[in-house]
Amino acid sequence: MASAGHSCRPVVQIARDRIGRMSISSSKLAAFLPSHRGLVAIVAAFLAGLLLFLLVWSGQRGTSPAVGRATADAPDFAPLPAPMPGAPDGASGMEEPDEEALADRPRLEEVPRPAAPPPSAAPPPTRAPAASAEASMPTPISQPAPRYPQRAMRRRESGTVRVQVEVGADGVPTQVTVAASSQSRDLDRAAIDAVRKWRFRPAQRDGQPVAGTVVVPIDFKL
């Protein structure tokens, strides 16, 4: 029993300590908690704030539709004028035109355009005149023989001289020149002197005598 009594004492002591600590903490908590009057004041302030909020919210909700109705009832722009009553004669109020008067008025009628004349046939191509026939060459009809120069004979000179003759329409030489020399001045001069005395049948073109040119050879041989 003594041992049981000794074992119970610590338990009781521990319980007492805990109760003492709880009382200390509750006293500290009570120091921080407001009093009864303070709690009543806090609740009253909360209720007053809630009531004020409800009043403001209901006032805004009641005034917003009124603003909308005022705007819809009284627009800023001027309303359009009412349409004029229509006259029985016509929708626009004007007199309808008289059909007989319209029939008497002159009307513009479209006249069909005349058809374009067909293109005229192109004229047949005209042939260009044929080129005139070429003139024939003069032909000698009188040919006196040239004189053999004495000095050329002494020098034993010989050769052929080609003489170019321009013959007029009358068959008489108008200009005589050396076309190809014989390499002897005496023979060339003798050939020119002889051809100047020649007579020719003039060149012919379209049956008419014309001036022409011909080259004749003159041979000098010993």
Side-chain angles (χ1 to χ4, degrees):
M1 293 293 291
S3 59
H6 286 291
S7 60
C8 291
R9 286 181 183 176
V11 174
V12 173
Q13 186 67 30
I14 291 171
R16 288 179 180 177
D17 293 339
R18 289 182 177 178
I19 293 171
R21 291 175 182 176
M22 291 176 64
S23 62
I24 293 172
S25 60
S26 61
S27 62
K28 290 181 178 180
L29 182 61
F32 287 102
L33 291 175
S35 61
H36 180 71
R37 292 182 178 179
L39 289 175
V40 172
I42 291 172
V43 172
F46 174 76
L47 293 176
L50 181 60
L51 181 60
L52 181 61
F53 171 75
L54 293 175
L55 290 175
V56 172
W57 178 73
S58 62
Q60 290 181 354
R61 185 177 179 184
T63 55
S64 57
V67 173
R69 286 194 298 273
T71 305
D73 295 341
D76 295 337
F77 55 87
L80 296 175
M84 297 178 63
D89 294 338
S92 61
M94 300 177 62
E95 295 182 359
E96 294 184 358
D98 191 358
E99 294 182 0
E100 295 181 359
L102 290 177
D104 295 340
R105 291 182 182 178
R107 295 181 181 180
L108 294 177
E109 294 184 0
E110 246 181 79
V111 180
R113 295 182 179 179
S120 58
T126 56
R127 294 183 180 181
S132 59
E134 295 182 359
S136 61
M137 296 177 60
T139 305
I141 56 176
S142 175
Q143 312 176 51
R147 185 179 60 84
Y148 211 110
Q150 294 294 328
R151 187 169 56 180
M153 291 179 65
R154 289 194 301 267
R155 294 179 179 178
R156 309 294 294 176
E157 294 178 350
S158 63
T160 302
V161 182
R162 296 182 64 82
V163 181
Q164 179 175 330
V165 188
E166 294 184 7
V167 183
D170 55 356
V172 178
T174 58
Q175 187 174 356
V176 181
T177 56
V178 176
S181 175
S182 64
Q183 306 301 323
S184 172
R185 184 177 298 177
D186 294 335
L187 297 179
D188 291 347
R189 186 177 297 112
I192 289 175
D193 293 341
V195 173
R196 282 177 179 169
K197 297 176 184 179
W198 288 15
R199 293 296 177 266
F200 295 84
R201 180 179 293 110
Q204 299 287 324
R205 179 179 293 153
D206 296 333
Q208 299 295 328
V210 294
T213 303
V214 65
V215 177
V216 295
I218 305 297
D219 294 330
F220 290 93
K221 295 180 180 179
L222 294 174

